[in-house]
Amino acid sequence: AAATNLSLQTVNKIVDRLVQEGKILEGSTQTGSGVGRPARVYTANPDYGTLIMVYYADGRWIGRVVNLFGREIAYAERQAAEGKSIELIYQLIDEIKLGAKNVLTIGLGIPGVVLSDGRVTSIPALDDLDGVNPEAMLRERYNVRIVVENDVKLMTVGWRTKELTSIQNMMFIYVEDRIGAGVIISGQLYKGVGGFSGELGYMPCVSGGTGDALYHNGGELENSLARAREEGNNEVFCRLIGQ
């Protein structure tokens, strides 16, 4: 009541409704000074619903079901196959969904850019998803809330949520098989107007270059880093990262 400026009577009605809906659980009664009604403890119900997560990593599609506290309930994976990304995503979800109760949200993490209209672009690892709107397709098939996002942006949100809760502005930079970043501003994920925020791999990195690789096959900076690593040229690799 103090936090919301609602009356105690209103708060009690809301809490009673949440208990009836199974969203919170009624616990033990706390004994205090003996003055007034004893306080009752309520806790969130971790098993009220489940979340399904599917993401691409190391040539595999991985699916997990967790409860609302993050406890894993089911796991499955599929080896990626050219031209079969949507089919494999459906297979994973259908398999792990069997052990899921009250699915509230399905989340999909992909190594590409998700545009404001839901279409995916700049995804060389899974070119059959280029131009596809997986959010619309998943929503039509499963009729639940769908979240589709770039995997590095999801890493950024996850890292801040678990490790850096007090940080309001940050950048998470990923350099592994590719390069990317996620940006948090005022505690919120910043995607930019077109969803390209943090796509460092597409930065031009050669002075006077033509930029032919700017929008193809991972981007100019990403390709230059890959070549430097393959050639064992640590000096060039470090210089490019420094830029």
Side-chain angles (χ1 to χ4, degrees), residues 174-190:
Y174 176 89
V175 181
E176 188 68 28
D177 53 325
R178 52 198 169 86
I179 180 171
V183 181
I184 300 285
I185 298 177
S186 299
Q188 300 293 320
L189 178 66
Y190 177 73

Side-chain angles (χ1 to χ4, degrees), residues 97-165:
K97 190 172 181 286
L98 296 176
K101 170 189 172 184
N102 189 23
V103 176
L104 302 176
T105 300
I106 296 175
L108 177 65
I110 57 171
V113 176
V114 181
L115 302 176
S116 57
D117 63 3
R119 289 180 299 116
V120 173
T121 188
S122 303
I123 185 167
L126 301 164
D127 56 6
D128 60 319
L129 290 181
D130 204 329
V132 173
N133 188 330
E135 179 182 344
M137 298 173 71
L138 290 170
R139 189 186 303 111
E140 181 178 358
R141 182 179 176 96
Y142 297 104
N143 194 31
V144 298
R145 179 173 179 258
I146 305 295
V147 176
V148 180
E149 188 52 88
N150 170 265
D151 52 3
V152 176
K153 289 183 172 62
L154 292 175
M155 292 179 203
T156 305
V157 173
W159 186 261
R160 178 182 179 272
T161 301
K162 294 191 69 173
E163 304 291 342
L164 302 168
T165 53

